[in-house]
């Protein structure tokens, strides 16, 4: 589904990604782990096309298309979704209006008919069950006055409505208590299918108890330094990131 | 929504056409003779001619105000023509007699003057270059005793009402531009709602400037008698011309005991081009008087056009327990310059006022909110709430806020909230990541920002206003 080759990127003149290689196939869940500042979130932002990040080398193919050449909205239309670490507030714009606009743009780009308000509301209400959202949420402004947990649940709800092919979850577990974490993780699991793929970016192993990855990659200083199965996450949890750093030092 | 914005890309200002019609225009220049000529052309009674002359003499002693934040080259008042009217053979008896070219012009602007075609529920007075060319639904309104006609007709048919209220809210000596208007105003709308009548439809005036090198000076007078209610809409457009055009209007509203007047404006005069060439200089005096107890006056304005805007719709809260409201969205883009706000003069007891101002600045636009809340000594237990928000798009524009607050008694309260925000790259990116393109994202964010004001507009107007915001800000984010 997505092939990342030798990806280099910088922000504000500083190189953060120093040659990322990663292949993700449909039906797979990949976890990207790593210490703070290793470039995990940068990878998520670069894949979704945040303008602050400059790609200096490498390429990314998404279902055969050059992803880096596409505007962020075109990437969304193609099926790339980013669940933001810090979801943005849009005062005065209701959640349902916002999400309906997004969904209809995506449908239009695929030559599908746009949904009218009634059809959309029906869909939204169904999807809201997945993340146990209260119905008052429909008319509240996007993320405004939401608690941390609500914002993260809202991200997963948006994902449920937009049905992306590739979902990138950027530190979706940060700031969540255990109950909220379970709801969010269950939401993600319910949306999983053989046709879509998920990249879970996280600092802690905790989330991976609930969203079980097929592969775990450890990102240190802008490079993937170790890949493995889900047991790698447990190893990291037990030994911390330092053991990887030590391994790296010894190999030099 | 999506396709409308895209459709509008490239169209820029779609009302910029001119109508080729023979006009009766007097030569440029201003003097007592010109004032008399205008009055004579309109067959006005002696007292009105005298009133105009007094205004003219007052104007001569006044200086153009320069306390605002506006920058524009000096206006040569002798180079303008003060009267231009489309030539019409005789007084009209029905809409069928209106020059088809004029009807067509209004059709093109989306304002049908043919009653059958109109959405029922809105009566229109169409003002073309200072002259009212048609008023719809006159008869329907007449059944309820409502008078809705051009100002000129009102002078002829209801001179007592005009004499009683003209200048009662904005005296001819009020300010430089009001004095100029009082001397040379050519037409406008007049409306009277009798005691206890709730006007069954929205009344609206649609102003169109066509002729070049002509100032437009219209005058609107609305009177809601005891217990009456009226909702009034005002729309305006002008052709795209390279030179600046002067527009100096006066609007007076009067609400007697328990009456309510709601006045909404969508101002879309030509704003000039990208580099600030051309556009309307809009110097307007709008003021309402809550004359009776428990009366209410509410101004809602969406200001997107004009090169220069100088406008402070105000309310004099004379009656006890009266209410004044001001809701405003002002947008400046390119080189536009707006200095707008309101005055709330609390005189009666237990009076209340609300001010919500949303300023949006883009391009090299300069947007100023200027407001005065004055609570007098006898206006005990009065309250004001003011909210002033500014939004900046890009980094070459500016926003300023000048709130003046004067409270002269100890039982009243005033609240003021202000904020300035910038449309963030992150907000736009968030929308884009959900599939929404930049133009639509900005339009959505802006409309969310202005929502509190839009919700006060009548339905059709709200839709129109939302579209307008999209057009005005087109291309403001690269």
């Amino acid at each position: 589904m997505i092939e990342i080759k030798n990806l280099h990127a910088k922000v504000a003149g500083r190189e953060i990604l120093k040659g990322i290689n990663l292949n993700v196939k449909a039906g797979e869940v990949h976890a990207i782990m790593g210490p703070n500042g290793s470039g995990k979130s940068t990878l998520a932002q670069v894949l979704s096309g945040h303008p602050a990040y400059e790609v200096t080398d490498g390429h990314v193919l998404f279902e055969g298309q050059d992803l880096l050449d596409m505007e962020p909205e075109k990437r969304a239309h193609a099926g790339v979704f980013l669940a933001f670490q810090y979801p943005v507030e849009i005062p005065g714009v209701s959640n349902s209006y916002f999400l309906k606009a997004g969904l209809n743009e995506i449908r239009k780009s695929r030559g599908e008919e746009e949904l009218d308000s009634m059809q959309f509301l029906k869909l939204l209400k169904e999807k809201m069950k997945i993340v146990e959202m209260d119905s008052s949420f429909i008319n509240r402004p996007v993320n405004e006055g939401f608690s941390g947990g609500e914002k993260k649940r809202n991200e997963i709800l948006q994902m449920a409505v937009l049905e992306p092919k590739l979902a990138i979850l950027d530190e979706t577990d940060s700031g969540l208590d255990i109950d909220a974490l379970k709801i969010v993780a269950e939401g993600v699991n319910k949306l999983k299918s053989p046709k879509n793929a998920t990249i879970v970016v996280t600092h802690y192993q905790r989330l991976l108890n609930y969203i079980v990855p097929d592969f775990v990659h450890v990102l240190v200083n802008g490079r993937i330094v170790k890949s493995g199965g889900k047991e790698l996450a447990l190893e990291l949890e037990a030994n911390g990131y330092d053991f990887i750093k030590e391994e790296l030092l010894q190999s030099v | 929504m999506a396709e409308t914005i895209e459709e509008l890309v490239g169209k820029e200002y779609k009302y910029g056409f001119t109508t080729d019609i023979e006009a009766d225009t007097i030569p440029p220049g201003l003097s007592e003779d010109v004032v008399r000529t205008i009055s004579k052309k309109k067959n006005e009674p002696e007292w009105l001619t005298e009133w105009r002359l007094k205004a003219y003499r007052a104007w001569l002693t006044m200086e153009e105000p320069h306390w605002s934040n506006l920058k524009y080259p000096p206006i040569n008042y002798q180079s303008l023509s003060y009267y231009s009217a489309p030539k019409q053979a005789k007084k009209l008896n029905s809409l069928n007699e209106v020059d088809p070219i004029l009807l067509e012009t209004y059709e093109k602007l989306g304002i049908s003057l043919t009653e059958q075609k109109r959405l029922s529920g809105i009566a229109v007075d169409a003002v073309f270059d200072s002259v009212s060319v048609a008023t719809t639904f006159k008869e329907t309104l007449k059944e309820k005793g409502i008078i809705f006609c051009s100002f000129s007709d009102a002078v002829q048919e209801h001179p007592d009402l005009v004499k009683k209220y003209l200048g009662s809210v904005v005296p001819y000596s009020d300010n430089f531009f009001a004095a100029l208007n009082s001397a040379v105003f050519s037409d406008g709308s007049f409306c009277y709602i009798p005691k206890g009548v709730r006007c069954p439809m929205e009344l609206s005036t649609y102003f169109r400037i066509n002729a070049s090198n002509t100032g437009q000076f219209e005058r609107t007078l609305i009177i809601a008698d005891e217990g009456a209610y009226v909702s009034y809409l005002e729309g305006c457009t002008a052709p795209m011309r390279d030179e600046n055009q002067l527009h100096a209007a006066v609007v007076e509203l009067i609400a007697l005991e328990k009456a309510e007047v709601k006045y909404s404006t969508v101002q879309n005069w030509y704003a000039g081009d990208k580099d600030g060439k051309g556009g309307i200089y809009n110097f307007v005096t709008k003021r309402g008087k809550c004359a009776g107890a428990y009366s209410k006056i509410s101004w809602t304005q969406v200001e997107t056009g004009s090169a220069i805007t100088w406008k402070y719709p105000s309310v004099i809260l004379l009656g006890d327990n009266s209410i004044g409201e001001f809701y405003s969205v002002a947008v400046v883009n390119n080189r536009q310059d707006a200095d707008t706000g309101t005055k709330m003069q609390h005189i009666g007891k237990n009076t209340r006022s609300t001010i919500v101002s949303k300023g949006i600045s883009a391009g090299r636009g300069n947007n100023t909110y200027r407001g005065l809340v004055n609570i007098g000594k006898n206006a005990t237990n009065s309250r004001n709430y003011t909210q002033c928000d500014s939004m900046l798009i890009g980094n070459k524009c500016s926003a300023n806020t000048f709130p003046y607050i004067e409270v002269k008694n100890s039982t009243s309260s005033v609240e003021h909230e202000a904020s300035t925000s910038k449309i963030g790259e992150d907000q736009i990116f968030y929308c884009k990541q959900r599939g929404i393109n930049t133009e639509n994202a900005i339009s959505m964010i802006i409309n969310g920002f202005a929502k509190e004001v839009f919700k006060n507009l009548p339905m059709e107007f709200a839709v129109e206003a939302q579209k307008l915001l999209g057009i005005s800000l087109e291309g403001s984010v690269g």
Side-chain angles (χ1 to χ4, degrees), chain A residues 45 48-50 71 73 76-77 80-82 84 88-93 97-98 101-102 105 143 155 158, chain B residues 1-3 6 425-438 440 444-445 447-449 451 466:
Chain A
Q45 300 280 348
S48 49
H50 194 290
E71 280 286 304
E73 67 269 29
H77 298 169
V80 175
F81 179 91
L82 172 67
F84 284 68
V88 177
E89 296 182 3
I90 310 178
V93 177
Y97 184 84
F98 174 71
E105 287 297 326
N143 291 321
E155 293 295 290
Q158 296 186 15
Chain B
M1 188 94 203
E3 71 276 14
E6 272 159 29
E425 207 171 54
D426 283 334
Q427 268 177 328
I428 294 174
F429 177 62
Y430 191 67
C431 294
K432 288 175 79 139
Q433 215 302 306
R434 298 302 183 248
I436 302 161
N437 68 29
T438 310
N440 289 346
M444 188 185 273
I445 295 164
N447 278 305
F449 174 72
K451 195 177 184 179
Q466 288 195 5

Side-chain angles (χ1 to χ4, degrees), chain A residues 174-229:
Chain A
S174 68
L176 291 188
D177 62 31
I178 194 71
D179 293 326
L181 183 75
K182 277 186 191 166
I183 293 171
V184 164
E186 275 167 30
V188 173
N189 289 332
K190 281 180 199 160
L191 297 170
K192 209 176 133 184
S193 89
K195 285 185 183 165
N196 61 30
T198 313
I199 296 176
V200 183
V201 173
T202 182
H203 185 82
Y204 299 105
Q205 193 271 339
R206 189 175 72 148
L207 178 65
L208 305 179
N209 287 333
Y210 302 97
I211 303 174
V212 181
D214 300 301
F215 301 94
V216 174
H217 310 277
V218 182
L219 193 63
V220 176
N221 196 20
R223 286 190 193 90
I224 290 175
V225 294
K226 201 172 167 87
S227 295

Side-chain angles (χ1 to χ4, degrees), chain B residues 5 8 439 443 447 465-475:
Chain B
I5 304 292
L8 295 165
E439 292 280 347
S443 162
N447 278 305
Q466 288 195 5
K467 282 193 206 161
L468 258 183
L469 280 197
I471 312 173
S472 299
L473 293 169
E474 209 165 86

Side-chain angles (χ1 to χ4, degrees), chain A residues 60-71:
Chain A
V60 179
L61 285 181
F62 180 70
E63 299 206 298
Q65 293 185 73
D66 181 357
L67 191 72
L68 300 177
D69 204 31
M70 295 155 80
E71 280 286 304

Side-chain angles (χ1 to χ4, degrees), chain A residues 33-251:
Chain A
M33 300 185 71
N36 289 331
S38 59
K40 302 184 304 279
S41 283
T42 298
L43 178 62
Q45 300 280 348
V46 167
L47 292 180
S48 49
H50 194 290
Y53 298 85
E54 188 193 342
V55 174
T56 50
D57 200 4
H59 55 260
V60 179
L61 285 181
F62 180 70
E63 299 206 298
Q65 293 185 73
D66 181 357
L67 191 72
L68 300 177
D69 204 31
M70 295 155 80
E71 280 286 304
E73 67 269 29
K74 299 289 178 206
R75 300 184 197 198
H77 298 169
V80 175
F81 179 91
L82 172 67
F84 284 68
Q85 183 177 2
Y86 305 109
V88 177
E89 296 182 3
I90 310 178
V93 177
S94 75
N95 276 301
S96 63
Y97 184 84
F98 174 71
L99 203 43
K100 178 167 164 262
L103 177 65
N104 277 336
E105 287 297 326
I106 291 172
R107 292 180 67 98
K108 241 182 9 195
S109 75
R110 294 177 186 162
E112 292 166 5
E113 196 132 322
E114 292 182 45
L115 296 187
D116 65 31
S117 298
M118 291 312 287
Q119 292 166 319
F120 176 76
L121 203 61
K122 200 171 155 235
L123 175 81
L124 183 62
K125 283 187 169 160
E126 263 167 44
K127 301 290 186 180
M128 280 166 67
K129 287 181 204 151
I130 295 176
V131 282
E132 300 176 24
M133 275 286 197
D134 184 80
S135 65
S136 70
F137 155 89
I138 295 173
N139 292 317
R140 282 169 63 185
V142 178
N143 291 321
E144 201 187 31
F146 281 34
S147 69
E150 280 178 322
K151 284 185 182 172
K152 296 301 173 78
R153 271 197 277 168
N154 190 16
E155 293 295 290
I156 304 306
L157 172 66
Q158 296 186 15
M159 174 177 152
V161 170
L162 301 179
E163 296 182 325
K165 289 179 189 156
L166 174 68
I168 304 162
L169 312 183
D170 187 8
E171 307 264 5
T172 297
D173 49 337
S174 68
L176 291 188
D177 62 31
I178 194 71
D179 293 326
L181 183 75
K182 277 186 191 166
I183 293 171
V184 164
E186 275 167 30
V188 173
N189 289 332
K190 281 180 199 160
L191 297 170
K192 209 176 133 184
S193 89
K195 285 185 183 165
N196 61 30
T198 313
I199 296 176
V200 183
V201 173
T202 182
H203 185 82
Y204 299 105
Q205 193 271 339
R206 189 175 72 148
L207 178 65
L208 305 179
N209 287 333
Y210 302 97
I211 303 174
V212 181
D214 300 301
F215 301 94
V216 174
H217 310 277
V218 182
L219 193 63
V220 176
N221 196 20
R223 286 190 193 90
I224 290 175
V225 294
K226 201 172 167 87
S227 295
K230 63 181 182 220
E231 61 291 341
L232 178 57
L234 295 169
E235 216 176 310
L236 284 171
E237 175 84 347
N239 303 323
Y241 287 106
D242 286 344
F243 101 95
I244 299 237
K245 286 182 184 163
E246 275 162 30
E247 266 185 34
L248 281 174
L249 282 174
Q250 281 161 16
S251 67

